[in-house]
CSV table of all heavy atoms in Angstrom, one decimal:
chain,number,residue,atom,x,y,z
A,280,ARG,N,19.8,68.4,-12.5
A,280,ARG,CA,20.9,69.2,-11.9
A,280,ARG,C,20.3,70.5,-11.4
A,280,ARG,O,20.6,71.0,-10.3
A,280,ARG,CB,22.0,69.5,-12.9
A,280,ARG,CG,23.0,68.4,-13.0
A,280,ARG,CD,24.3,68.9,-13.6
A,280,ARG,NE,24.2,69.1,-15.0
A,280,ARG,CZ,24.4,68.2,-15.9
A,280,ARG,NH1,24.8,67.0,-15.6
A,280,ARG,NH2,24.2,68.4,-17.2
A,281,VAL,N,19.4,71.1,-12.1
A,281,VAL,CA,18.7,72.3,-11.7
A,281,VAL,C,17.9,72.1,-10.4
A,281,VAL,O,17.9,72.8,-9.4
A,281,VAL,CB,17.9,72.9,-12.8
A,281,VAL,CG1,17.0,74.1,-12.3
A,281,VAL,CG2,18.7,73.4,-13.9
A,282,LEU,N,17.1,71.0,-10.5
A,282,LEU,CA,16.2,70.7,-9.4
A,282,LEU,C,16.9,70.2,-8.1
A,282,LEU,O,16.4,70.4,-7.0
A,282,LEU,CB,15.2,69.6,-9.8
A,282,LEU,CG,14.2,70.0,-10.9
A,282,LEU,CD1,13.5,68.7,-11.5
A,282,LEU,CD2,13.2,70.9,-10.4
A,283,ASP,N,18.1,69.6,-8.3
A,283,ASP,CA,18.8,69.1,-7.2
A,283,ASP,C,19.6,70.2,-6.5
A,283,ASP,O,20.2,69.9,-5.4
A,283,ASP,CB,19.8,68.0,-7.6
A,283,ASP,CG,19.0,66.7,-8.0
A,283,ASP,OD1,17.9,66.5,-7.4
A,283,ASP,OD2,19.6,65.9,-8.7
A,284,ASN,N,19.7,71.3,-7.1
A,284,ASN,CA,20.4,72.4,-6.5
A,284,ASN,C,19.6,73.1,-5.4
A,284,ASN,O,18.6,73.7,-5.6
A,284,ASN,CB,20.8,73.5,-7.6
A,284,ASN,CG,21.7,74.5,-7.1
A,284,ASN,OD1,22.5,74.3,-6.2
A,284,ASN,ND2,21.5,75.7,-7.6
A,285,PRO,N,20.1,73.0,-4.1
A,285,PRO,CA,19.3,73.6,-3.0
A,285,PRO,C,19.3,75.1,-3.1
A,285,PRO,O,20.4,75.7,-3.5
A,285,PRO,CB,20.0,73.1,-1.8
A,285,PRO,CG,21.3,72.7,-2.2
A,285,PRO,CD,21.3,72.3,-3.6
A,286,THR,N,18.3,75.8,-2.6
A,286,THR,CA,18.2,77.2,-2.6
A,286,THR,C,17.8,77.7,-1.2
A,286,THR,O,17.0,77.0,-0.5
A,286,THR,CB,17.3,77.8,-3.7
A,286,THR,OG1,16.0,77.1,-3.6
A,286,THR,CG2,17.8,77.5,-5.1
A,287,GLN,N,18.2,78.9,-0.9
A,287,GLN,CA,17.8,79.5,0.4
A,287,GLN,C,16.6,80.5,0.1
A,287,GLN,O,16.8,81.5,-0.6
A,287,GLN,CB,19.0,80.3,1.0
A,287,GLN,CG,18.7,80.9,2.4
A,287,GLN,CD,18.9,79.8,3.4
A,287,GLN,OE1,19.5,78.8,3.2
A,287,GLN,NE2,18.4,80.0,4.6
A,288,LEU,N,15.4,80.1,0.6
A,288,LEU,CA,14.2,80.9,0.3
A,288,LEU,C,13.6,81.3,1.6
A,288,LEU,O,13.2,80.5,2.4
A,288,LEU,CB,13.2,80.0,-0.5
A,288,LEU,CG,13.7,79.5,-1.8
A,288,LEU,CD1,12.6,78.5,-2.4
A,288,LEU,CD2,14.0,80.6,-2.8
A,289,ASP,N,13.6,82.6,1.8
A,289,ASP,CA,12.9,83.2,3.0
A,289,ASP,C,13.4,82.5,4.3
A,289,ASP,O,12.7,82.0,5.1
A,289,ASP,CB,11.4,83.0,2.9
A,289,ASP,CG,10.7,83.9,3.9
A,289,ASP,OD1,11.3,84.8,4.5
A,289,ASP,OD2,9.5,83.7,4.2
A,290,ARG,N,14.8,82.4,4.4
A,290,ARG,CA,15.4,81.8,5.5
A,290,ARG,C,15.1,80.3,5.6
A,290,ARG,O,15.4,79.7,6.7
A,290,ARG,CB,15.1,82.5,6.8
A,290,ARG,CG,15.6,83.9,6.9
A,290,ARG,CD,15.2,84.6,8.2
A,290,ARG,NE,13.8,84.8,8.3
A,290,ARG,CZ,13.2,85.3,9.3
A,290,ARG,NH1,13.9,85.7,10.4
A,290,ARG,NH2,11.9,85.4,9.4
A,291,ILE,N,14.6,79.7,4.6
A,291,ILE,CA,14.4,78.2,4.5
A,291,ILE,C,15.3,77.6,3.5
A,291,ILE,O,15.3,78.0,2.3
A,291,ILE,CB,12.9,77.9,4.2
A,291,ILE,CG1,12.0,78.5,5.2
A,291,ILE,CG2,12.7,76.4,4.0
A,291,ILE,CD1,10.5,78.4,4.9
A,292,HIS,N,16.1,76.6,3.9
A,292,HIS,CA,16.9,75.8,3.0
A,292,HIS,C,16.1,74.8,2.3
A,292,HIS,O,15.7,73.8,2.9
A,292,HIS,CB,18.0,75.2,3.8
A,292,HIS,CG,19.2,74.7,3.0
A,292,HIS,ND1,20.0,75.5,2.3
A,292,HIS,CD2,19.6,73.4,2.7
A,292,HIS,CE1,20.9,74.8,1.6
A,292,HIS,NE2,20.7,73.6,1.8
Side-chain angles (χ1 to χ4, degrees):
R280 277 197 288 267
V281 170
L282 293 167
D283 289 335
N284 186 32
T286 52
Q287 188 79 16
L288 301 174
D289 195 17
R290 295 180 293 179
I291 297 173
H292 194 67

